[in-house]
Amino acid sequence: MWKSIKKYVGQLFDVYCREFKIVLHDEGIMLFFLFLPLAYPIIYSLIYNPEVVRDVRMVVVDHDRSAKSRELVRSIDATEEAWVTGYAADILEARRAVDSHEAYGILEIPEGFGRKLGNGEQANAVMYCEASLLLRYRGFLMATTNVMSAMGGELMSERINEVAPLAGTVVDGDLMPIESVAMGNIESGFDSFIMPGVLILILHQCIILAMGMSGGAKREYPEKAGLMSGKVRNGVVATMLGEMLCYITILFIPMVFLVHYVPLIFSFPMENHIIDILAFLLPMVLACFGLGFCFQGLVRERETVFVIWVVTSVMFLFLSGLTWPRYAMSAFWYWLGSLVPATWGVEGFIRMNTNGATISQVSGDYTALWILAGVYMVGGYCVQRWVVRPSLVKGYDAYASVRARSF
């Protein structure tokens, strides 16, 4: 028994050292293992900073030129979202300012605005926004909505006091004040909204693509695959475990940096402990390893990985529910997204790291990841035994034959 254990440990160590050597001598694999998790989150986070858009330039077309219209303009200018840079004589002049990017929004106040407000009638102002960046539109919409709501409340109080002067002692201020609190994202920043999910997608792609490139390297150079005399030196399970231990050794520090220090550096929401986060990500990492072993059956050349990277990265981003909620997807896309480990990882990680959920509170995502880990590991074993190994042995025999003829 001890001899069997010693032999098995020796196989693990042999695979571990061999895989470590392959990774360290392959610039492409090191690119995925180190550059992708260390540089990409920094680059993406810097692109989305600052998180919110403030003081976006706006021009005003005031056809009314009344005290109420000037009050409206001053109130909007006082908000943090908008900055009134000046007035335009007409809508055409305002359009020219927007076309030249001197402004990104137009507030048009129609004639009779102040008179209608004074008579208690409905008065409308029109907001035009250049929509190349939706954050600008959101800022203008919030600024004008809040200001118009506040002005409406003040006018309503004045009307009540005119009808019943003593009502001011009973009714004072807004009867139904609305306070918006963005749970898990207090600043309502775009960076804090999207980047936590992108971090998990980066980790997901990092593991799968690095393993795919490793499989392609072995197909191109079968002498590196641990073959000897046309036979595989180690068992399938020992090979898979040894490779996973190698990848975990290399990836552990980049993974901690990715899910802990990147949110810390950019002040993303962090409502959970790193140990709990790593415990949740464990089945996702195992599922990615299993999917990577399956992926090796498709990769014949190292360069194939870059093509698949381009195709799958955007698709996985959409399927994760970051850009469009999964419950609104059709059944086909919903179930296709459920087969991707990153989908469940993104959902659970955002709930834990952003809203402070425990593992028990994300048990659905956690269970799904363990199921995917088991399914993909079994699938990876089948692919490695009946697809990858015969291909490696065949390639090694051809390599040995050519080498023998050369001598």
Side-chain angles (χ1 to χ4, degrees):
M1 177 179 178
W2 287 109
K3 289 184 178 180
S4 299
I5 295 176
K6 185 177 180 181
K7 180 180 178 181
Y8 196 78
V9 172
Q11 291 181 359
L12 285 177
F13 186 73
D14 179 60
V15 175
Y16 180 89
C17 295
R18 187 193 71 226
E19 198 67 24
F20 219 107
K21 185 177 180 181
I22 292 175
V23 172
L24 293 180
H25 288 80
D26 194 306
E27 295 83 357
I29 302 177
M30 293 299 294
L31 176 72
F32 286 123
F33 268 139
L34 296 180
F35 179 79
L36 193 61
L38 295 178
Y40 262 48
I42 300 295
I43 295 173
Y44 286 166
S45 300
L46 289 175
I47 290 174
Y48 293 128
N49 262 327
E51 298 197 55
V52 294
V53 177
R54 294 185 174 92
D55 289 332
V56 183
R57 295 189 296 274
M58 172 195 295
V59 293
V60 177
V61 180
D62 189 357
H63 299 291
D64 191 54
R65 297 188 180 275
S66 64
K68 287 298 182 181
S69 67
R70 289 191 292 271
E71 180 184 351
L72 173 63
V73 173
R74 286 195 301 269
S75 299
I76 292 178
D77 188 37
T79 63
E80 67 175 8
E81 291 87 4
W83 173 28
V84 177
T85 59
Y87 287 81
D90 52 32
I91 195 67
L92 293 178
E93 182 181 344
R95 284 288 301 271
R96 286 194 294 270
V98 172
D99 292 340
S100 61
H101 297 293
E102 296 176 4
Y104 296 96
I106 303 171
L107 176 65
E108 184 179 20
I109 304 175
E111 185 178 357
F113 178 82
R115 176 179 52 80
K116 290 182 179 180
L117 289 179
N119 295 334
E121 302 176 13
Q122 183 176 355
N124 297 320
V126 183
M127 168 65 68
Y128 302 95
C129 178
E130 193 264 345
S132 62
L133 182 62
L134 290 180
L135 289 177
R136 297 193 190 109
Y137 167 76
R138 172 179 172 271
F140 284 143
L141 181 63
M142 289 181 61
T144 53
T145 301
N146 293 337
V147 169
M148 296 293 283
S149 177
M151 288 186 65
E154 293 176 0
L155 292 171
M156 182 62 69
S157 298
E158 293 175 3
R159 296 284 293 178
I160 292 175
N161 288 332
E162 290 176 1
V163 176
L166 294 179
T169 61
V170 179
V171 180
D172 188 14
D174 194 352
L175 295 177
M176 297 180 64
I178 299 175
E179 184 178 357
S180 177
V181 178
M183 297 179 61
N185 189 357
I186 296 176
E187 292 189 1
S188 298
F190 187 74
D191 209 3
S192 296
F193 161 71
I194 197 170
M195 277 308 298
V198 172
L199 296 179
I200 302 303
L201 286 168
I202 291 175
L203 176 62
H204 177 273
Q205 292 295 81
C206 168
I207 296 174
I208 295 176
L209 296 174
M211 293 187 66
M213 181 164 284
S214 175
K218 293 171 187 175
R219 296 282 186 93
E220 293 181 7
Y221 308 102
E223 69 275 12
K224 298 181 180 180
L227 305 175
M228 185 172 58
S229 301
K231 297 190 299 182
V232 181
R233 185 183 303 168
N234 303 307
V236 177
V237 176
T239 301
M240 294 173 64
L241 287 176
E243 291 182 4
M244 285 192 294
L245 289 174
C246 171
Y247 299 148
I248 290 174
T249 302
I250 299 173
L251 195 60
F252 181 75
I253 292 179
M255 183 171 68
V256 172
F257 173 79
L258 188 68
V259 301
H260 181 71
Y261 286 101
V262 171
L264 192 64
I265 292 171
F266 292 96
S267 300
F268 298 154
M270 295 181 64
E271 299 296 333
N272 224 313
H273 196 272
I274 181 62
I275 301 300
D276 296 327
I277 297 296
L278 293 178
F280 171 78
L281 292 178
L282 174 62
M284 194 202 85
V285 171
L286 294 177
C288 290
F289 282 139
L291 188 57
F293 285 124
C294 297
F295 184 41
Q296 287 182 351
L298 302 175
V299 179
R300 301 286 176 176
E301 299 175 348
R302 297 167 66 254
E303 291 75 12
T304 307
V305 174
F306 292 99
V307 178
I308 298 177
W309 179 20
V310 174
V311 173
T312 59
S313 294
V314 177
M315 182 179 69
F316 290 160
L317 174 64
F318 289 134
L319 292 177
S320 67
L322 278 175
T323 57
W324 184 257
R326 296 187 67 231
Y327 62 80
M329 297 179 183
S330 63
F332 172 78
W333 294 111
Y334 180 87
W335 288 109
L336 182 62
S338 299
L339 299 177
V340 181
T343 300
W344 303 103
V346 167
E347 290 186 358
F349 179 75
I350 290 177
R351 292 173 185 172
M352 293 183 67
N353 210 45
T354 301
N355 295 323
T358 61
I359 290 184
S360 61
Q361 292 173 321
V362 293
S363 58
D365 303 317
Y366 197 55
T367 303
L369 286 174
W370 277 114
I371 293 174
L372 288 180
V375 171
Y376 285 134
M377 280 297 177
V378 172
Y381 174 85
C382 296
V383 171
Q384 292 294 314
R385 181 167 183 177
W386 287 295
V387 177
V388 175
R389 289 215 161 191
S391 176
L392 292 177
V393 171
K394 183 178 179 180
Y396 182 83
D397 290 340
Y399 165 79
S401 177
V402 171
R403 187 175 181 182
R405 286 198 299 269
S406 64
F407 283 105

